[in-house]
Amino acid sequence: MFWKSQGGGGGPWGSGPRGGGPWGGNRGGGPSPRGRGPQPPDFEELLRRSQDRFRRVLPGGFGTGTGLAIVVLGILVIWLASGFYRVLPDEVGVVLRFGSYNRTTQPGLNYHLPTPIETVLRPSVTRVNRTEIGYRNAEGPGRGQVTRQVPEEALMLTGDENIVDINFTVFWVIKDAQAYLFNIRDPEATVKSAAESAMREVVGETPIAQALSEGRGKIETDTQALLQGILNVYNAGIELTQLQLLKVDPPAPVIDAFRDVQRALADRERLRNEAESYRNDIIPRARGDAVRIKQEADAYRQEITARSQGDADRFLSVYNAFKAAQDVTLQRLYLETMEEILKNSNKVIIDKSAEGGNGVLPYLPLPTLGTGTANISPPAGAPGGGTGAGGPASGGTPSPALSVPPLRRQ
């Protein structure tokens, strides 16, 4: 080497005044080897020392082969014991043998062949999973919920070619763990894509006015039924528990104008209902009045007809009686007519025999005649009349007027 050709010892740094490389001399105090550099570690020596330490750890009387056997046996026991596993009450255990489905285990302590022969998956079958479509909830800086809209999922076309902004949530559970793990690759993405597709189909058949008002319940029901059918076709092992519409609004740029239109439509519907109510009040009342007037007219017609018929029958009966006995009938008619005429009038009857001869002046109660309360004397020759004790000729009180009873009809 170059440094050896220069007559120096102790390596490329020379011997120096203290000798022995760059750190100077032999720190152990012994003779420093000259002409040799740093030596590499002796691996055989390291291995021999490790074996000696291992023999000292083993109990006395055991050779190297026996100790290794014990170690291997311990490792085997630990490996076999790793097959014990516990399934929680809300889980089921799905055991895979070399990556293929083997069996399903129930909650509790179970055992499977250690890895890599068998492995176990433990999905939760009672937890309600939540899939959000049209929006995402995230934790905000103040530990609050921050909602972020996803327009590419939320904007949908209605049946009358309007655009509506819909946010909804799907709640689902695992019904069949084997189908859930092996028939679909990404359950969350599958549920989201199928739910969005089902909602677009249902909304595409619904007018926007119905979707914004009373049609929300029908949209939820139809979408849930359609989505469950899609997942059943996929044999996804998923069962829907609820589909909830959170927001159904027009797009944000036109929502104010749309609300004005909806208010106008609501006013039109209100006025129409008021007009219908007024019509429903007036028309039945007018119909009732018409029926009442018609019934009154019919009753009047029947009354007039019956009265006319009665008068005609009475006239015919009188005529028939007149034909049978004309004299008697004429007298009876005269008397009945006079009775009808005079029954309500004041009558004064003066006896002809009291005039002049005896100088008797008949007393006429003229002041009381106007009131209709005077007593009238009967004609002469009648009971209580003439110049009898109660007649005017004798100065007594006038007697009541003579009443001629009507003749009995023959």
Side-chain angles (χ1 to χ4, degrees):
M1 301 297 290
F2 173 74
W3 54 84
K4 291 183 178 180
S5 61
Q6 297 297 324
W13 299 278
S15 58
R18 302 178 65 179
W23 297 281
N26 187 3
R27 295 182 182 270
S32 176
R34 295 184 179 272
R36 297 181 61 186
Q39 299 296 320
D42 191 350
F43 291 101
E44 293 182 358
E45 182 65 20
L46 292 176
L47 182 60
R48 184 181 59 79
R49 292 178 180 176
S50 300
Q51 291 176 353
D52 293 340
R53 292 194 185 98
F54 184 72
R55 289 191 187 97
R56 286 196 297 267
V57 171
L58 292 177
F62 287 91
T64 303
T66 304
L68 292 176
I70 293 175
V71 171
V72 171
L73 182 59
I75 295 175
L76 180 62
V77 171
I78 295 174
W79 178 69
L80 293 175
S82 65
F84 289 99
Y85 65 95
R86 185 168 65 96
V87 179
L88 297 179
D90 63 335
E91 299 174 342
V92 294
V94 179
V95 179
L96 309 181
R97 180 171 294 177
F98 298 112
S100 178
Y101 173 78
N102 181 261
R103 64 187 181 276
T104 300
T105 58
Q106 298 303 317
L109 185 62
N110 298 275
Y111 182 79
H112 67 84
L113 296 178
T115 306
I117 301 175
E118 290 183 348
T119 56
V120 62
L121 301 176
R122 290 171 290 184
S124 176
V125 294
T126 60
R127 184 185 61 191
V128 178
N129 300 278
R130 174 191 179 102
T131 302
E132 301 168 345
I133 296 95
Y135 73 104
R136 299 291 184 273
N137 281 330
E139 293 289 339
R143 292 185 178 180
Q145 291 287 339
V146 177
T147 302
R148 178 177 61 87
Q149 296 295 321
V150 185
E152 58 271 16
E153 297 179 2
L155 297 179
M156 301 182 184
L157 191 66
T158 62
D160 51 359
E161 298 182 357
N162 286 295
I163 298 177
V164 66
D165 188 359
I166 294 181
N167 293 348
F168 66 100
T169 306
V170 179
F171 299 92
W172 52 277
V173 296
I174 300 174
K175 180 177 64 175
D176 186 348
Q178 178 184 355
Y180 173 79
L181 293 173
F182 297 102
N183 291 343
I184 52 178
R185 185 186 300 273
D186 189 346
E188 182 73 22
T190 301
V191 171
K192 187 177 77 66
S193 299
E196 183 180 350
S197 176
M199 180 62 72
R200 290 186 184 277
E201 179 176 347
V202 173
V203 171
E205 299 174 353
T206 306
I208 188 171
Q210 185 177 356
L212 295 175
S213 56
E214 73 277 0
R216 298 184 58 171
K218 186 175 184 299
I219 291 176
E220 291 180 352
T221 304
D222 294 347
T223 304
Q224 181 173 348
L226 181 58
L227 177 57
Q228 186 65 64
I230 294 174
L231 296 175
N232 292 340
V233 171
Y234 291 166
N235 194 18
I238 293 175
E239 181 178 6
L240 302 181
T241 59
Q242 185 183 6
L243 189 144
Q244 182 180 8
L245 280 174
L246 301 180
K247 183 183 75 170
V248 182
D249 290 327
V254 298
I255 189 170
D256 294 335
F258 187 85
R259 287 176 177 170
D260 291 340
V261 173
Q262 294 301 312
R263 281 193 291 267
L265 293 176
D267 292 339
R268 184 187 69 177
E269 191 67 22
R270 177 179 56 80
L271 294 176
R272 178 182 297 173
N273 292 335
E274 291 177 357
E276 291 287 342
S277 176
Y278 179 74
R279 186 190 70 173
N280 294 335
D281 178 59
I282 291 298
I283 291 179
R285 188 180 302 173
R287 289 175 178 171
D289 293 341
V291 172
R292 178 180 56 80
I293 294 173
K294 184 178 179 181
Q295 291 177 351
E296 291 177 354
D298 291 339
Y300 179 74
R301 178 175 62 91
Q302 294 175 3
E303 178 186 0
I304 294 299
T305 303
R307 186 179 300 172
S308 301
Q309 187 68 35
D311 292 342
D313 293 341
R314 183 173 59 82
F315 178 80
L316 290 176
S317 64
V318 172
Y319 177 71
N320 293 329
F322 175 76
K323 287 173 62 178
Q326 295 184 4
D327 296 337
V328 176
T329 303
L330 287 175
Q331 185 179 3
R332 183 175 61 80
L333 291 175
Y334 173 75
L335 293 176
E336 288 179 355
T337 303
M338 294 305 294
E339 181 184 7
E340 185 69 24
I341 292 173
L342 298 176
K343 69 179 180 180
N344 294 325
S345 62
N346 295 323
K347 297 174 289 295
V348 178
I349 301 174
I350 301 176
D351 190 0
K352 294 293 184 180
S353 62
E355 295 180 359
N358 297 326
V360 177
L361 180 65
Y363 172 72
L364 298 178
L366 296 178
T368 60
L369 291 178
T371 62
T373 60
N375 293 325
I376 308 301
S377 298
T387 58
S394 61
T397 303
S399 301
L402 178 62
S403 175
V404 179
L407 296 178
R408 183 173 300 174
R409 294 184 179 182
Q410 299 300 325

